[in-house]
Every structure is written in C-alpha cells, then in structure tokens.
Amino acid sequence: MSYTIDDLKTLMARLRDPEIGCPWDTRQSYKTIVPHTLEEAYEVADAIEREDYPHLKDELGDLLFQVIFYAQMGKEDGHFDFDTIVDNLVRKLVRRHPHVFPAGTLDSKIDPDNRPDEAWIKESWERIKAEERAMVPPSDEPVSRLDGIARTLPAMARAEKLQKRASRHGFDWPEIEPVFDKLHEELDELKEAWHAAQTGVGDHDAVEDELGDLLFVCVNLARFMKVNPEQALKRTNHKFDSRFRAIEQVLTREGRDMDEESLDALEAVYQTVKGVEKGGSGHC
C-alpha cells in the first residue's frame, strides 16, 4: 500500500486537531513555520549539491510537508486549502506558457513544427508577468517596475533580481568594463569609511553602507559574467572548508596544535595544502 497526497492532507488535519492533535503542531502559525520552511528548502539544496539523491527524496518530502502545513492553516482560517493552491498554480503555469499550451488549457498542445523561438518565449513570459503584476490590488505605495520582488529573499538573491529587473528597463551598464571601475570605486569608498570610523570622524553605519555597495557591485559583476553569485560563494565556502580541514589534518599528523601556531606557520601549511589541491585538481 502506498500513501497518497490525500492521506498526507488527512494526517495534517489530524496533527492540527485542537482536541486530539499534536500540541506542537496546533500551536504553530504561518509566521512560526517560516524558519522551518527556509531550513527545509536549504536542506533540499544541500542534498542536490552533494548529489545525495536517496536523501533528496526525504528532504523533498519535508519541504512538501511545509506546503501541506500552510494549506491546512489556510483551510482553518477560510483563506485557501491545498486544492485551491494546486488549482491556482496550474492555471498560472498554463497561462505563463502559451508556447506549450497555446489555447490556454491544460490539454491544448503546440504544433511541433511551429514552435516559437527563444526570444518570443522570453518576451511573452515578461509580458504575462507584467500583466499579472498590473492585476494586483493597489496599495498605498506607488507602483514600481520592481514590484513583485520579495523583500524577504536572501540579500544576494534579491540584489540579482533587482538588477535584472532594472536592466530590462534600460537601467544598466552597456558592458562589463564600467562594472570593474565601479568595483574599484566602491572599494576605495569602503576604505575611506573604515579609516574615518577608526579615527572617530565617521561611524559604523557608513562602513556597513559602503560594504553593502561593494557587495551589490560584486553581484552586478557576476551577472555580467553569467555566474550565479550564490553558487560562486558556495563554491568558495566549500573550498575554504576543505582547505581548513586539510590544515587541521596536517598539523595533527605532525603533532602540532593549531591554537599554538603563528599565523605565518599556518599560512605556510595553507600554501602547501593549496599547492597539493592545485596539483591534484587543476583548480587554484
């Protein structure tokens, strides 16, 4: 016997039952579940990064459970339920993919010999997204071309989305060289802010502002190079983690204590580890 999505919905309703459910589950709200949702999403990403596909199945199940949790709370509050979430999703994706569902219905199919090109697909996608944004009920804030980019995104991901949206409306550098120039400019401004703060002329907020500007330009640089900045930083994190652990192993084999070594001594071991890594993998 295999359980189905309906069984999962039943399980969730039981967990949330105020009389016979789980005390922890019944105490939760939309806001208290958010940290768990983010954690589960990152664990999915981690399993994919490690190509741990047996574990990925479990992590995807945990992430699906988060959706079921929100759906049950929405049903209790009369806002929505799982079925309306699915219905809304399918309708949205059919609408956004006229190059796959030409009649705007799930059973309509495109003529394989008359498929639109990539440029048409991209233009169509942006036009449909813009139409959807225009249909959102007005708020007190002025309408902006940057609307719809979630403020709760990780800062680096949001920076990339903001830049891409602005670029589509002509607010962008024409080529990569000025981005390099801007990088050097922001680095100089960060140095000035730092020295000013150290001497009491400036403050820490100015340092934070300038560092933010520098990171924002780094994201711009990654965008021009067609590099995912989050992925690039993850690779560097992995590289540092691997090298640091290798330093620990070298010192342990030699009977040395890292906490008692000088920085110069540690740097010498680091360069040795780096050289071995470079020789083995071809990467610096």
Side-chain angles (χ1 to χ4, degrees):
M1 171 185 174
S2 295
Y3 290 113
T4 66
I5 194 70
D6 287 333
D7 295 320
L8 182 57
K9 289 156 61 178
T10 298
L11 179 148
M12 188 71 251
R14 288 280 301 278
L15 290 175
R16 287 281 295 179
D17 189 296
E19 295 183 356
I20 61 173
C22 171
W24 185 88
D25 290 283
T26 57
R27 285 197 304 268
Q28 302 312 307
S29 66
Y30 301 104
K31 290 184 179 180
T32 62
I33 291 298
V34 168
H36 301 283
T37 307
L38 296 174
E39 180 180 348
E40 298 299 350
Y42 280 118
E43 289 181 358
V44 166
D46 181 64
I48 293 172
E49 181 75 18
R50 293 183 287 104
E51 298 185 356
D52 185 357
Y53 298 114
H55 194 210
L56 176 60
K57 177 183 65 177
D58 292 334
E59 298 300 348
L60 287 171
D62 292 341
L63 186 58
L64 173 61
F65 183 70
Q66 300 298 305
V67 177
I68 293 291
F69 211 133
Y70 289 115
Q72 177 61 32
M73 290 188 287
K75 182 178 181 179
E76 294 165 3
D77 296 340
H79 298 316
F80 50 79
D81 60 14
F82 185 79
D83 292 338
T84 57
I85 292 172
V86 171
D87 179 72
N88 182 69
L89 176 61
V90 173
R91 291 177 185 276
K92 179 172 63 178
L93 293 177
V94 167
R95 183 175 65 250
R96 289 181 178 179
H97 294 80
H99 51 289
V100 180
F101 311 102
T105 61
L106 187 58
D107 58 355
S108 61
K109 297 180 180 179
I110 198 75
D111 180 359
D113 297 325
N114 193 30
R115 293 177 59 85
D117 58 25
E118 290 288 336
W120 186 93
I121 293 173
K122 183 176 181 180
E123 187 279 331
S124 175
W125 175 271
E126 296 303 335
R127 175 180 52 78
I128 294 170
K129 292 288 291 294
E131 291 172 354
E132 292 175 354
R133 288 193 294 270
M135 294 173 62
V136 174
S139 65
D140 294 334
E141 293 187 11
V143 175
S144 170
R145 290 173 174 81
L146 299 179
D147 287 346
I149 301 176
R151 298 178 184 274
T152 53
L153 280 171
M156 187 168 289
R158 188 161 191 263
E160 185 178 24
K161 285 183 175 292
L162 288 169
Q163 292 171 12
K164 286 182 176 179
R165 182 73 63 79
S167 178
R168 290 203 296 267
H169 298 284
F171 192 73
D172 201 2
W173 281 288
E175 55 187 18
I176 194 172
E177 287 305 322
V179 187
F180 282 114
D181 295 337
K182 188 66 175 176
L183 186 69
H184 291 296
E185 176 187 327
E186 295 297 349
L187 182 58
D188 289 340
E189 291 180 2
L190 176 59
K191 289 179 181 178
E192 291 178 11
W194 170 251
H195 291 307
Q198 293 300 104
T199 58
V201 178
D203 58 31
H204 189 73
D205 284 345
V207 174
E208 186 175 281
D209 284 343
E210 295 300 342
L211 182 58
D213 291 345
L214 180 64
L215 293 173
F216 195 80
V217 175
C218 287
V219 173
N220 247 319
L221 195 61
R223 184 170 56 85
F224 268 84
M225 292 178 170
K226 301 187 184 308
V227 171
N228 183 306
E230 180 71 19
Q231 183 63 27
L233 185 56
K234 285 177 66 176
R235 289 184 65 172
T236 296
N237 287 343
H238 175 73
K239 184 165 55 178
F240 178 83
D241 180 282
S242 176
R243 289 175 178 175
F244 189 88
R245 292 173 187 272
I247 292 172
E248 291 177 313
Q249 292 170 6
V250 168
L251 294 175
T252 297
R253 286 198 301 269
E254 296 178 357
R256 299 158 64 185
D257 186 339
M258 174 176 280
D259 295 336
E260 297 178 357
E261 297 291 330
S262 67
L263 179 58
D264 288 342
L266 293 177
E267 176 65 20
V269 178
Y270 174 81
Q271 291 300 330
T272 299
V273 166
K274 185 177 177 181
V276 170
E277 181 186 275
K278 183 176 180 180
S281 66
H283 294 288
C284 59

